[in-house]
Amino acid sequence: MEREGLVGRGIGYSLWLVLALVVGTACGKGGEKEENPAGHGLRVLGYVFTSDWQSVSARIPWQSITDLNVAFINPAASGAFEVDPAMTALVEKAHDHGVRVFFSIGGGNPPPHLETLLATAQDRDKLVSGIVEVLDRFGFDGVDIDLENALINEHYAPFVAAVAKAVKPLDKLVTAALASWNANLITDATLAHYDFINVMSYDATGPWNPDRPGPHSPYSMAVDDFGYFHRTRGIPAARLFVGLPFYGYGFGEGAPQSLSFRDIAARWPDWVQDDEVTVTGGGKVYYNGLATIGRKTQYALDNGAGGVMIWQLLQDAGDAHSLLRAINETINQPQKD
């Protein structure tokens, strides 16, 4: 996930990174807007993954989101953060549009020294101090902890607790990106530190697992994941954001291993309502089309979720094929009492 073209995140990401490099695609806080443009209270959060922070502002559909996560800003080995100065203008632009903006640490391919920084209290203190400095310097509304795979270990809980202790008195938010498949490694007490959780309901399979072709983010996965965090773990629905993928994975002869939805819509415009397409050669590409994105958004509305979360905004198609447009149209339609 160190280039815009990379698409997935979560299960099997380390193996996926190698493949992606081959194929080349791969509240009351400052600036807070209490409700999304539809006024139904469902927030629309989009991750943005790029190294070009100088020009990204013009590519973000500010009127269609309520929250923005900048991915990723990771520390140096010292625990300090070197942040692109262009981030100041991006945060100001977000706040001008009433959009909360967070910076996300970790990701599916974090720097190796991040594990070292989490391992001792002394190094964790350096890392937490660096997080506080970034929040203060750039005016972010909070920090998003996206520690995955091996980083959910015995050091995870004390790190989250230290972040919450340092950040929340500053009237900032602490959020997380989590998958259900390994959330059993995280205690209820640790989950309670998060103001909301971005549920990564995708990457059930992918190019790292060619013997398991099929949908990587079916509707049933979003329902099951929401049920796990809400009913099994007791997280209030309003603190859960349902994850939505703006990308697809291919399996079989002639199928690209990964594609953004923008590319899917350009190649197969007649299939944007569907969740799969058969390519020349017999292989298939699996994704979430317009209908499923709308259905998942409606599920979030019907079940009192805090919002929906998108990985990632810059992979969307434009105009009538836009998944973000489908999300907002679902939110804007009259809701049953």
Side-chain angles (χ1 to χ4, degrees), residues 131-144:
I131 289 171
V132 169
E133 195 272 334
V134 172
L135 288 170
D136 180 64
R137 177 156 49 111
F138 292 95
F140 286 105
D141 296 289
V143 59
D144 180 60

Side-chain angles (χ1 to χ4, degrees), residues 110-120 123 150-151 153 155:
H113 57 257
L114 184 56
E115 184 170 7
T116 303
L117 286 169
L118 297 171
T120 68
D123 284 334
L151 293 182
N153 55 29
H155 309 306

